[in-house]
Amino acid sequence: MASIEQRYISLSARKVNSAQGKEQAMLIVTLLYLVAVLSVPLYSPQKLIWLAAYPIIASEMEGCGFRRIFLKSLLIIPLVALIGIFNPFIDTETAFRIGNVAVNRGWVSFISILLRGLLSLQAILILVESSGIIDTINALRKLGCPSVLTTQLHLTCRYISVVMEEVIVMKRARAARGYGRKSYPLSMWGRFIGQLLIRSMQRATDIHRAMLARGFDGSLPLGTTMRWNSSAWIWLIVWTALIACLRFIDFSSLVVQFLHK
Amino acid sequence: MSHHFIKFTDVTYRYPDGTEALKGVSLTITHGERVALLGLNGSGKSTLILHTNGLLLPTSGEVNIGGIPVTKKTAPEVRRAVGMVFQNPDDMLFMPTIYDDVAFGPRNMHLPEDEVRHRVDDALNAVGLHDVADKAAFQLSGGQRRSAAIASVLSMGPDILVLDEPSANLDICARNNLINLLDSFRHTILLVTHDLDMARQLCPRSIIMHEGRVCADGLTQTLLSDTDIMRDAGFM
């Protein structure tokens, strides 16, 4: 029980953030980084390795800890693996040899897809963990993202909190009358989830009514103007330059040339 | 300001499941009156107040706020005049900080940001929460959350304040603070409450509801000391 309550508190705590231009700068850098990662040719995974510098350095600079970000990003592996798992069997043309072992282009593209997934998710995790989801959504809106999309994202975040609150209440109620019982039949979980859905819908309706009563017209109002301070500008300029270098300069070839000399 | 009255004319409301929550309710509350709406659970109090700003529209009959019939079309205009404080403050506090929650209404009114800041400061000062403006709702106590919910309505500058059981779950100190705060509000107040002492302290007039109908309407002191009325309303 403590686990879900702690998660709820940490989720709520992350929402509190000062509205500064840094969030916008981080969002722009993240978008640039995603473009850089996704634009690397499919059969050149070695170029992606250099782009890993951003999540490693940025996560440490923002105090997120790269180890934690990396472990969280591993969650995406099953999904991206599913996307590229058939490549080694479809694209069988030999790409290169390691000794007598031929590595086909399918394996290269598979590795490339895995790395793209990992790096992209790591960049997004750093953005959300350092800026907070609400400020990230606000930054998206300030950058011209349609309000219908940002409002949906905002309300989805709010709905997650509502569901978690209801889960906590229901778990407490069950534990209070469970007398230490640990396992329940599947049918009980079905009823639990059904009740949770109904209760959270009722809460969501109440919240919507409270919003309507205060003039909500389908679009969440923007908060205070985000001020671009010097650290936001430095973040944007330095990382844009570094990401451009990492993307367009072939460091792998330079290293190989250096080693040959 | 004298046009800020609440008028219900033969209002009936039936929920989609067929439950008839209001059965021909007629009442008038004039500007500046403080009225307590009393009754047992399920008597129709909450349904009635949801009609005051168009969150529910009558199945039959008419609700009129300050000369404006409440319809789907007029609801946004009516909501500027009627500030509603809901029973559960957590339903009203959903923004990242208390400041943003209190600014939610004024920003929806498309006021300039300076005016929004001014209104939020005033509202937070009124409820004594200025020091916690940058905190999130979950970091506040129950009483503070209730005050923040009231501030989020006061910041809209309503002419009519409708409160649904505002003293529920409050300790004695927070309850007294709330009574003092409401006492300083000079416009119309419609107060739904089970707290009969609060009704006595704040509202010279009371309306008692029973099974979707108004069963008594008069001076609070008179009604609460009339055993026949209290018995008919199910209080005894």
Side-chain angles (χ1 to χ4, degrees):
Chain A
M1 194 198 293
S3 167
I4 194 158
E5 292 183 10
Q6 280 164 4
R7 275 171 189 270
Y8 170 65
I9 288 169
S10 63
L11 181 78
S12 307
R14 274 207 299 274
K15 287 177 186 169
V16 187
N17 225 321
S18 59
Q20 294 291 328
K22 182 79 181 289
E23 284 77 37
Q24 271 182 298
M26 286 200 69
L27 178 64
I28 294 169
V29 168
T30 305
L31 292 174
L32 287 172
Y33 181 74
L34 292 179
V35 170
V37 166
L38 297 175
S39 68
V40 170
L42 193 60
Y43 297 103
S44 306
Q46 74 279 4
K47 289 185 179 174
L48 288 170
I49 292 166
W50 296 100
L51 281 165
Y54 172 71
I56 293 169
I57 300 169
S59 59
E60 293 301 334
M61 285 176 74
E62 288 301 302
C64 308
F66 180 67
R67 187 172 179 274
R68 203 161 62 83
I69 294 290
F70 178 77
L71 290 175
K72 277 190 177 182
S73 70
L74 293 180
L75 284 173
I76 205 173
I77 283 186
L79 182 67
V80 288
L82 200 68
I83 294 167
I85 194 70
F86 296 109
N87 288 18
F89 307 105
I90 295 167
D91 193 356
T92 53
E93 190 183 330
T94 302
F96 58 88
R97 286 179 176 279
I98 303 172
N100 289 331
V101 181
V103 178
N104 69 34
R105 284 163 61 89
W107 279 112
V108 174
S109 63
F110 178 61
I111 297 293
S112 182
I113 290 169
L114 275 184
L115 284 174
R116 282 160 202 263
L118 282 174
L119 294 178
S120 302
L121 184 60
Q122 284 167 12
I124 291 166
L125 283 172
I126 292 165
L127 172 70
V128 172
E129 292 230 350
S130 57
S131 303
I133 186 73
I134 300 298
D135 279 343
T136 303
I137 295 168
N138 285 342
L140 265 173
R141 176 88 179 273
K142 300 250 179 188
L143 287 175
C145 190
S147 73
V148 65
L149 181 65
T150 52
T151 300
Q152 284 298 320
L153 284 169
H154 207 121
L155 295 181
T156 302
C157 292
R158 175 59 184 148
Y159 189 65
I160 290 169
S161 302
V162 168
V163 170
M164 287 179 82
E165 283 166 19
E166 293 304 318
V167 167
I168 290 168
V169 169
M170 288 175 71
K171 277 193 80 173
R172 277 180 183 161
R174 197 194 59 183
R177 289 172 291 158
Y179 304 107
R181 185 176 170 181
K182 292 249 179 344
S183 64
Y184 290 88
L186 200 60
S187 60
M188 195 288 299
W189 287 108
R191 286 197 293 272
F192 185 93
I193 290 167
Q195 280 296 316
L196 176 65
L197 186 66
I198 291 167
R199 287 171 63 110
S200 59
M201 287 284 286
Q202 181 59 51
R203 276 294 308 281
T205 304
D206 292 342
I207 291 166
H208 185 234
R209 276 183 177 160
M211 291 167 75
L212 287 176
R214 286 184 289 159
F216 178 65
D217 59 0
S219 173
L220 280 174
L222 271 175
T224 49
T225 310
M226 291 184 172
R227 295 176 299 279
W228 278 68
N229 53 19
S230 55
S231 76
W233 282 110
I234 291 169
W235 185 274
L236 178 67
I237 293 165
V238 171
W239 275 116
T240 302
L242 279 175
I243 289 169
C245 290
L246 292 168
R247 170 64 186 86
F248 293 112
I249 298 172
D250 192 352
F251 287 101
S252 305
S253 301
L254 291 176
V255 170
V256 170
Q257 282 174 15
F258 179 76
L259 291 176
H260 276 268
K261 282 179 186 174
Chain B
M1 301 297 272
S2 60
H3 59 284
H4 292 117
F5 61 84
I6 301 172
K7 187 172 184 184
F8 279 61
T9 310
D10 200 20
V11 171
T12 300
Y13 183 77
R14 188 177 291 110
Y15 279 100
D17 68 355
T19 308
E20 202 170 22
L22 298 180
K23 299 168 184 170
V25 172
S26 294
L27 57 89
T28 303
I29 297 169
T30 55
H31 174 72
E33 264 196 302
R34 289 183 196 168
V35 179
L37 194 57
L38 309 174
L40 299 182
N41 290 333
S43 59
K45 307 183 299 293
S46 295
T47 304
L48 187 143
I49 62 166
L50 289 175
H51 281 77
T52 58
N53 66 359
L55 289 171
L56 293 179
L57 295 170
T59 307
S60 67
E62 189 190 77
V63 179
N64 194 304
I65 305 291
I68 304 168
V70 182
T71 62
K72 206 170 183 178
K73 204 173 175 182
T74 60
E77 191 182 346
V78 169
R79 284 169 194 158
R80 285 172 182 255
V82 181
M84 185 172 291
V85 179
F86 288 74
Q87 193 172 353
N88 183 358
D90 291 340
D91 291 344
M92 300 183 70
L93 307 172
F94 54 89
M95 297 295 277
T97 64
I98 293 299
Y99 182 96
D100 288 327
D101 270 316
V102 179
F104 182 78
R107 280 175 182 156
N108 278 326
M109 292 161 80
H110 304 293
L111 297 174
E113 197 56 32
D114 285 344
E115 172 69 12
V116 170
R117 194 175 302 116
H118 184 248
R119 284 183 178 226
V120 173
D121 287 343
D122 284 352
L124 287 173
N125 279 328
V127 300
L129 285 183
H130 206 269
D131 293 343
V132 296
D134 290 330
K135 288 194 172 182
F138 78 98
Q139 292 172 306
L140 306 186
S141 69
Q144 285 177 317
R145 285 209 289 271
R146 177 80 61 190
S147 298
I150 292 172
S152 72
V153 169
L154 291 181
S155 64
M156 295 178 73
D159 298 303
I160 299 167
L161 195 55
V162 179
L163 303 105
D164 193 357
E165 297 187 32
S167 63
N169 302 324
L170 293 186
D171 63 32
I172 189 73
C173 182
R175 180 182 168 281
N176 289 340
N177 288 340
L178 177 68
I179 289 172
N180 290 335
L181 173 66
L182 295 179
D183 207 20
S184 65
F185 188 76
R186 291 290 144 221
H187 299 309
T188 311
I189 291 181
L190 178 57
L191 175 72
V192 171
T193 185
H194 291 294
D195 185 341
L196 300 184
D197 285 334
M198 188 181 197
R200 254 191 216 102
Q201 281 177 268
L202 272 176
C203 305
R205 178 183 164 198
S206 285
I207 295 170
I208 300 179
M209 291 194 70
H210 185 58
E211 294 179 350
R213 291 190 173 88
V214 173
C215 72
D217 184 348
L219 292 174
T220 304
Q221 290 294 355
T222 310
L223 293 184
L224 295 185
S225 56
D226 188 325
T227 50
D228 289 339
I229 288 173
M230 296 305 275
R231 191 178 294 112
D232 287 348
F235 283 107
M236 297 171 78

mmCIF file with all atom_site columns, all heavy atoms in Angstrom, chain A residues 14 59-60 63-74 122 125 129:
data_model
loop_
_atom_site.group_PDB
_atom_site.id
_atom_site.type_symbol
_atom_site.label_atom_id
_atom_site.label_alt_id
_atom_site.label_comp_id
_atom_site.label_asym_id
_atom_site.label_entity_id
_atom_site.label_seq_id
_atom_site.pdbx_PDB_ins_code
_atom_site.Cartn_x
_atom_site.Cartn_y
_atom_site.Cartn_z
_atom_site.occupancy
_atom_site.B_iso_or_equiv
_atom_site.pdbx_formal_charge
_atom_site.auth_seq_id
_atom_site.auth_comp_id
_atom_site.auth_asym_id
_atom_site.auth_atom_id
_atom_site.pdbx_PDB_model_num
ATOM 1   N N   . ARG A 1 14  ? 6.177  16.276 -8.300  1.00 0.00 ? 14  ARG A N   1
ATOM 2   C CA  . ARG A 1 14  ? 6.873  16.681 -9.513  1.00 0.00 ? 14  ARG A CA  1
ATOM 3   C C   . ARG A 1 14  ? 6.135  17.773 -10.272 1.00 0.00 ? 14  ARG A C   1
ATOM 4   O O   . ARG A 1 14  ? 6.690  18.440 -11.116 1.00 0.00 ? 14  ARG A O   1
ATOM 5   C CB  . ARG A 1 14  ? 7.084  15.471 -10.422 1.00 0.00 ? 14  ARG A CB  1
ATOM 6   C CG  . ARG A 1 14  ? 8.327  14.702 -10.108 1.00 0.00 ? 14  ARG A CG  1
ATOM 7   C CD  . ARG A 1 14  ? 8.830  13.998 -11.347 1.00 0.00 ? 14  ARG A CD  1
ATOM 8   N NE  . ARG A 1 14  ? 7.867  13.057 -11.844 1.00 0.00 ? 14  ARG A NE  1
ATOM 9   C CZ  . ARG A 1 14  ? 7.755  11.811 -11.424 1.00 0.00 ? 14  ARG A CZ  1
ATOM 10  N NH1 . ARG A 1 14  ? 8.520  11.367 -10.491 1.00 0.00 ? 14  ARG A NH1 1
ATOM 11  N NH2 . ARG A 1 14  ? 6.868  11.003 -11.947 1.00 0.00 ? 14  ARG A NH2 1
ATOM 12  N N   . SER A 1 59  ? 21.401 14.341 -18.034 1.00 0.00 ? 59  SER A N   1
ATOM 13  C CA  . SER A 1 59  ? 20.751 13.743 -16.860 1.00 0.00 ? 59  SER A CA  1
ATOM 14  C C   . SER A 1 59  ? 21.541 14.056 -15.592 1.00 0.00 ? 59  SER A C   1
ATOM 15  O O   . SER A 1 59  ? 20.960 14.327 -14.541 1.00 0.00 ? 59  SER A O   1
ATOM 16  C CB  . SER A 1 59  ? 20.588 12.225 -17.022 1.00 0.00 ? 59  SER A CB  1
ATOM 17  O OG  . SER A 1 59  ? 21.848 11.635 -17.214 1.00 0.00 ? 59  SER A OG  1
ATOM 18  N N   . GLU A 1 60  ? 22.851 14.042 -15.709 1.00 0.00 ? 60  GLU A N   1
ATOM 19  C CA  . GLU A 1 60  ? 23.672 14.367 -14.531 1.00 0.00 ? 60  GLU A CA  1
ATOM 20  C C   . GLU A 1 60  ? 23.574 15.860 -14.197 1.00 0.00 ? 60  GLU A C   1
ATOM 21  O O   . GLU A 1 60  ? 23.505 16.240 -13.035 1.00 0.00 ? 60  GLU A O   1
ATOM 22  C CB  . GLU A 1 60  ? 25.135 13.960 -14.769 1.00 0.00 ? 60  GLU A CB  1
ATOM 23  C CG  . GLU A 1 60  ? 25.356 12.449 -14.878 1.00 0.00 ? 60  GLU A CG  1
ATOM 24  C CD  . GLU A 1 60  ? 24.923 11.671 -13.640 1.00 0.00 ? 60  GLU A CD  1
ATOM 25  O OE1 . GLU A 1 60  ? 24.911 12.246 -12.539 1.00 0.00 ? 60  GLU A OE1 1
ATOM 26  O OE2 . GLU A 1 60  ? 24.550 10.488 -13.785 1.00 0.00 ? 60  GLU A OE2 1
ATOM 27  N N   . GLY A 1 63  ? 20.421 16.565 -12.423 1.00 0.00 ? 63  GLY A N   1
ATOM 28  C CA  . GLY A 1 63  ? 20.262 15.849 -11.161 1.00 0.00 ? 63  GLY A CA  1
ATOM 29  C C   . GLY A 1 63  ? 19.329 14.651 -11.229 1.00 0.00 ? 63  GLY A C   1
ATOM 30  O O   . GLY A 1 63  ? 18.816 14.189 -10.206 1.00 0.00 ? 63  GLY A O   1
ATOM 31  N N   . CYS A 1 64  ? 19.067 14.154 -12.452 1.00 0.00 ? 64  CYS A N   1
ATOM 32  C CA  . CYS A 1 64  ? 18.169 12.992 -12.582 1.00 0.00 ? 64  CYS A CA  1
ATOM 33  C C   . CYS A 1 64  ? 18.944 11.685 -12.345 1.00 0.00 ? 64  CYS A C   1
ATOM 34  O O   . CYS A 1 64  ? 18.348 10.686 -11.940 1.00 0.00 ? 64  CYS A O   1
ATOM 35  C CB  . CYS A 1 64  ? 17.537 12.937 -13.968 1.00 0.00 ? 64  CYS A CB  1
ATOM 36  S SG  . CYS A 1 64  ? 16.745 14.448 -14.478 1.00 0.00 ? 64  CYS A SG  1
ATOM 37  N N   . GLY A 1 65  ? 20.237 11.682 -12.621 1.00 0.00 ? 65  GLY A N   1
ATOM 38  C CA  . GLY A 1 65  ? 21.040 10.460 -12.468 1.00 0.00 ? 65  GLY A CA  1
ATOM 39  C C   . GLY A 1 65  ? 20.886 9.586  -13.700 1.00 0.00 ? 65  GLY A C   1
ATOM 40  O O   . GLY A 1 65  ? 19.793 9.083  -13.968 1.00 0.00 ? 65  GLY A O   1
ATOM 41  N N   . PHE A 1 66  ? 21.988 9.400  -14.468 1.00 0.00 ? 66  PHE A N   1
ATOM 42  C CA  . PHE A 1 66  ? 21.862 8.649  -15.722 1.00 0.00 ? 66  PHE A CA  1
ATOM 43  C C   . PHE A 1 66  ? 21.488 7.189  -15.482 1.00 0.00 ? 66  PHE A C   1
ATOM 44  O O   . PHE A 1 66  ? 20.738 6.603  -16.254 1.00 0.00 ? 66  PHE A O   1
ATOM 45  C CB  . PHE A 1 66  ? 23.165 8.718  -16.537 1.00 0.00 ? 66  PHE A CB  1
ATOM 46  C CG  . PHE A 1 66  ? 23.063 7.945  -17.823 1.00 0.00 ? 66  PHE A CG  1
ATOM 47  C CD1 . PHE A 1 66  ? 22.212 8.371  -18.836 1.00 0.00 ? 66  PHE A CD1 1
ATOM 48  C CD2 . PHE A 1 66  ? 23.767 6.760  -18.001 1.00 0.00 ? 66  PHE A CD2 1
ATOM 49  C CE1 . PHE A 1 66  ? 22.071 7.640  -20.005 1.00 0.00 ? 66  PHE A CE1 1
ATOM 50  C CE2 . PHE A 1 66  ? 23.629 6.029  -19.174 1.00 0.00 ? 66  PHE A CE2 1
ATOM 51  C CZ  . PHE A 1 66  ? 22.791 6.475  -20.170 1.00 0.00 ? 66  PHE A CZ  1
ATOM 52  N N   . ARG A 1 67  ? 21.994 6.622  -14.381 1.00 0.00 ? 67  ARG A N   1
ATOM 53  C CA  . ARG A 1 67  ? 21.704 5.200  -14.112 1.00 0.00 ? 67  ARG A CA  1
ATOM 54  C C   . ARG A 1 67  ? 20.188 4.981  -14.008 1.00 0.00 ? 67  ARG A C   1
ATOM 55  O O   . ARG A 1 67  ? 19.620 4.051  -14.589 1.00 0.00 ? 67  ARG A O   1
ATOM 56  C CB  . ARG A 1 67  ? 22.394 4.785  -12.809 1.00 0.00 ? 67  ARG A CB  1
ATOM 57  C CG  . ARG A 1 67  ? 22.301 3.306  -12.534 1.00 0.00 ? 67  ARG A CG  1
ATOM 58  C CD  . ARG A 1 67  ? 23.162 2.898  -11.335 1.00 0.00 ? 67  ARG A CD  1
ATOM 59  N NE  . ARG A 1 67  ? 23.022 1.488  -11.083 1.00 0.00 ? 67  ARG A NE  1
ATOM 60  C CZ  . ARG A 1 67  ? 22.060 0.965  -10.330 1.00 0.00 ? 67  ARG A CZ  1
ATOM 61  N NH1 . ARG A 1 67  ? 21.178 1.753  -9.765  1.00 0.00 ? 67  ARG A NH1 1
ATOM 62  N NH2 . ARG A 1 67  ? 21.971 -0.335 -10.162 1.00 0.00 ? 67  ARG A NH2 1
ATOM 63  N N   . ARG A 1 68  ? 19.520 5.872  -13.295 1.00 0.00 ? 68  ARG A N   1
ATOM 64  C CA  . ARG A 1 68  ? 18.069 5.758  -13.109 1.00 0.00 ? 68  ARG A CA  1
ATOM 65  C C   . ARG A 1 68  ? 17.332 5.947  -14.442 1.00 0.00 ? 68  ARG A C   1
ATOM 66  O O   . ARG A 1 68  ? 16.408 5.206  -14.765 1.00 0.00 ? 68  ARG A O   1
ATOM 67  C CB  . ARG A 1 68  ? 17.599 6.806  -12.087 1.00 0.00 ? 68  ARG A CB  1
ATOM 68  C CG  . ARG A 1 68  ? 16.297 6.466  -11.391 1.00 0.00 ? 68  ARG A CG  1
ATOM 69  C CD  . ARG A 1 68  ? 16.163 7.280  -10.112 1.00 0.00 ? 68  ARG A CD  1
ATOM 70  N NE  . ARG A 1 68  ? 16.125 8.706  -10.383 1.00 0.00 ? 68  ARG A NE  1
ATOM 71  C CZ  . ARG A 1 68  ? 15.016 9.361  -10.730 1.00 0.00 ? 68  ARG A CZ  1
ATOM 72  N NH1 . ARG A 1 68  ? 13.887 8.710  -10.845 1.00 0.00 ? 68  ARG A NH1 1
ATOM 73  N NH2 . ARG A 1 68  ? 15.043 10.654 -10.954 1.00 0.00 ? 68  ARG A NH2 1
ATOM 74  N N   . ILE A 1 69  ? 17.778 6.954  -15.191 1.00 0.00 ? 69  ILE A N   1
ATOM 75  C CA  . ILE A 1 69  ? 17.152 7.221  -16.493 1.00 0.00 ? 69  ILE A CA  1
ATOM 76  C C   . ILE A 1 69  ? 17.350 6.018  -17.416 1.00 0.00 ? 69  ILE A C   1
ATOM 77  O O   . ILE A 1 69  ? 16.421 5.579  -18.098 1.00 0.00 ? 69  ILE A O   1
ATOM 78  C CB  . ILE A 1 69  ? 17.769 8.499  -17.128 1.00 0.00 ? 69  ILE A CB  1
ATOM 79  C CG1 . ILE A 1 69  ? 17.410 9.736  -16.286 1.00 0.00 ? 69  ILE A CG1 1
ATOM 80  C CG2 . ILE A 1 69  ? 17.337 8.670  -18.575 1.00 0.00 ? 69  ILE A CG2 1
ATOM 81  C CD1 . ILE A 1 69  ? 15.970 10.153 -16.318 1.00 0.00 ? 69  ILE A CD1 1
ATOM 82  N N   . PHE A 1 70  ? 18.568 5.457  -17.398 1.00 0.00 ? 70  PHE A N   1
ATOM 83  C CA  . PHE A 1 70  ? 18.867 4.316  -18.265 1.00 0.00 ? 70  PHE A CA  1
ATOM 84  C C   . PHE A 1 70  ? 17.977 3.117  -17.901 1.00 0.00 ? 70  PHE A C   1
ATOM 85  O O   . PHE A 1 70  ? 17.395 2.478  -18.776 1.00 0.00 ? 70  PHE A O   1
ATOM 86  C CB  . PHE A 1 70  ? 20.350 3.937  -18.147 1.00 0.00 ? 70  PHE A CB  1
ATOM 87  C CG  . PHE A 1 70  ? 20.724 2.743  -18.967 1.00 0.00 ? 70  PHE A CG  1
ATOM 88  C CD1 . PHE A 1 70  ? 20.885 2.858  -20.340 1.00 0.00 ? 70  PHE A CD1 1
ATOM 89  C CD2 . PHE A 1 70  ? 20.900 1.497  -18.381 1.00 0.00 ? 70  PHE A CD2 1
ATOM 90  C CE1 . PHE A 1 70  ? 21.208 1.749  -21.112 1.00 0.00 ? 70  PHE A CE1 1
ATOM 91  C CE2 . PHE A 1 70  ? 21.225 0.385  -19.145 1.00 0.00 ? 70  PHE A CE2 1
ATOM 92  C CZ  . PHE A 1 70  ? 21.378 0.516  -20.508 1.00 0.00 ? 70  PHE A CZ  1
ATOM 93  N N   . LEU A 1 71  ? 17.889 2.830  -16.603 1.00 0.00 ? 71  LEU A N   1
ATOM 94  C CA  . LEU A 1 71  ? 17.084 1.679  -16.171 1.00 0.00 ? 71  LEU A CA  1
ATOM 95  C C   . LEU A 1 71  ? 15.614 1.867  -16.554 1.00 0.00 ? 71  LEU A C   1
ATOM 96  O O   . LEU A 1 71  ? 14.950 0.931  -16.999 1.00 0.00 ? 71  LEU A O   1
ATOM 97  C CB  . LEU A 1 71  ? 17.220 1.471  -14.657 1.00 0.00 ? 71  LEU A CB  1
ATOM 98  C CG  . LEU A 1 71  ? 18.588 0.972  -14.188 1.00 0.00 ? 71  LEU A CG  1
ATOM 99  C CD1 . LEU A 1 71  ? 18.654 0.920  -12.663 1.00 0.00 ? 71  LEU A CD1 1
ATOM 100 C CD2 . LEU A 1 71  ? 18.903 -0.404 -14.777 1.00 0.00 ? 71  LEU A CD2 1
ATOM 101 N N   . LYS A 1 72  ? 15.120 3.091  -16.400 1.00 0.00 ? 72  LYS A N   1
ATOM 102 C CA  . LYS A 1 72  ? 13.723 3.345  -16.785 1.00 0.00 ? 72  LYS A CA  1
ATOM 103 C C   . LYS A 1 72  ? 13.533 3.168  -18.293 1.00 0.00 ? 72  LYS A C   1
ATOM 104 O O   . LYS A 1 72  ? 12.502 2.661  -18.742 1.00 0.00 ? 72  LYS A O   1
ATOM 105 C CB  . LYS A 1 72  ? 13.323 4.771  -16.404 1.00 0.00 ? 72  LYS A CB  1
ATOM 106 C CG  . LYS A 1 72  ? 12.882 4.919  -14.949 1.00 0.00 ? 72  LYS A CG  1
ATOM 107 C CD  . LYS A 1 72  ? 12.288 6.298  -14.737 1.00 0.00 ? 72  LYS A CD  1
ATOM 108 C CE  . LYS A 1 72  ? 11.770 6.436  -13.319 1.00 0.00 ? 72  LYS A CE  1
ATOM 109 N NZ  . LYS A 1 72  ? 11.151 7.752  -13.099 1.00 0.00 ? 72  LYS A NZ  1
ATOM 110 N N   . SER A 1 73  ? 14.542 3.603  -19.055 1.00 0.00 ? 73  SER A N   1
ATOM 111 C CA  . SER A 1 73  ? 14.401 3.550  -20.516 1.00 0.00 ? 73  SER A CA  1
ATOM 112 C C   . SER A 1 73  ? 14.394 2.113  -21.029 1.00 0.00 ? 73  SER A C   1
ATOM 113 O O   . SER A 1 73  ? 13.913 1.854  -22.135 1.00 0.00 ? 73  SER A O   1
ATOM 114 C CB  . SER A 1 73  ? 15.514 4.353  -21.188 1.00 0.00 ? 73  SER A CB  1
ATOM 115 O OG  . SER A 1 73  ? 16.764 3.695  -21.034 1.00 0.00 ? 73  SER A OG  1
ATOM 116 N N   . LEU A 1 74  ? 14.909 1.174  -20.237 1.00 0.00 ? 74  LEU A N   1
ATOM 117 C CA  . LEU A 1 74  ? 14.918 -0.235 -20.675 1.00 0.00 ? 74  LEU A CA  1
ATOM 118 C C   . LEU A 1 74  ? 13.504 -0.773 -20.865 1.00 0.00 ? 74  LEU A C   1
ATOM 119 O O   . LEU A 1 74  ? 13.288 -1.758 -21.561 1.00 0.00 ? 74  LEU A O   1
ATOM 120 C CB  . LEU A 1 74  ? 15.667 -1.101 -19.661 1.00 0.00 ? 74  LEU A CB  1
ATOM 121 C CG  . LEU A 1 74  ? 17.180 -0.840 -19.541 1.00 0.00 ? 74  LEU A CG  1
ATOM 122 C CD1 . LEU A 1 74  ? 17.793 -1.757 -18.497 1.00 0.00 ? 74  LEU A CD1 1
ATOM 123 C CD2 . LEU A 1 74  ? 17.880 -1.037 -20.885 1.00 0.00 ? 74  LEU A CD2 1
ATOM 124 N N   . GLN A 1 122 ? 15.131 8.191  -23.301 1.00 0.00 ? 122 GLN A N   1
ATOM 125 C CA  . GLN A 1 122 ? 15.977 8.813  -22.265 1.00 0.00 ? 122 GLN A CA  1
ATOM 126 C C   . GLN A 1 122 ? 15.869 10.339 -22.324 1.00 0.00 ? 122 GLN A C   1
ATOM 127 O O   . GLN A 1 122 ? 15.750 11.003 -21.299 1.00 0.00 ? 122 GLN A O   1
ATOM 128 C CB  . GLN A 1 122 ? 17.434 8.385  -22.456 1.00 0.00 ? 122 GLN A CB  1
ATOM 129 C CG  . GLN A 1 122 ? 17.696 6.961  -21.980 1.00 0.00 ? 122 GLN A CG  1
ATOM 130 C CD  . GLN A 1 122 ? 19.037 6.416  -22.438 1.00 0.00 ? 122 GLN A CD  1
ATOM 131 O OE1 . GLN A 1 122 ? 19.881 7.158  -22.936 1.00 0.00 ? 122 GLN A OE1 1
ATOM 132 N NE2 . GLN A 1 122 ? 19.225 5.114  -22.297 1.00 0.00 ? 122 GLN A NE2 1
ATOM 133 N N   . LEU A 1 125 ? 12.526 11.333 -20.904 1.00 0.00 ? 125 LEU A N   1
ATOM 134 C CA  . LEU A 1 125 ? 12.493 11.151 -19.440 1.00 0.00 ? 125 LEU A CA  1
ATOM 135 C C   . LEU A 1 125 ? 13.232 12.291 -18.734 1.00 0.00 ? 125 LEU A C   1
ATOM 136 O O   . LEU A 1 125 ? 12.777 12.801 -17.707 1.00 0.00 ? 125 LEU A O   1
ATOM 137 C CB  . LEU A 1 125 ? 13.130 9.811  -19.063 1.00 0.00 ? 125 LEU A CB  1
ATOM 138 C CG  . LEU A 1 125 ? 12.269 8.561  -19.304 1.00 0.00 ? 125 LEU A CG  1
ATOM 139 C CD1 . LEU A 1 125 ? 13.090 7.299  -19.082 1.00 0.00 ? 125 LEU A CD1 1
ATOM 140 C CD2 . LEU A 1 125 ? 11.054 8.561  -18.392 1.00 0.00 ? 125 LEU A CD2 1
ATOM 141 N N   . GLU A 1 129 ? 11.381 14.637 -16.131 1.00 0.00 ? 129 GLU A N   1
ATOM 142 C CA  . GLU A 1 129 ? 11.844 14.578 -14.737 1.00 0.00 ? 129 GLU A CA  1
ATOM 143 C C   . GLU A 1 129 ? 12.396 15.922 -14.264 1.00 0.00 ? 129 GLU A C   1
ATOM 144 O O   . GLU A 1 129 ? 12.245 16.283 -13.111 1.00 0.00 ? 129 GLU A O   1
ATOM 145 C CB  . GLU A 1 129 ? 12.908 13.496 -14.581 1.00 0.00 ? 129 GLU A CB  1
ATOM 146 C CG  . GLU A 1 129 ? 12.325 12.111 -14.770 1.00 0.00 ? 129 GLU A CG  1
ATOM 147 C CD  . GLU A 1 129 ? 12.706 11.162 -13.656 1.00 0.00 ? 129 GLU A CD  1
ATOM 148 O OE1 . GLU A 1 129 ? 13.564 11.504 -12.844 1.00 0.00 ? 129 GLU A OE1 1
ATOM 149 O OE2 . GLU A 1 129 ? 12.110 10.063 -13.626 1.00 0.00 ? 129 GLU A OE2 1
#
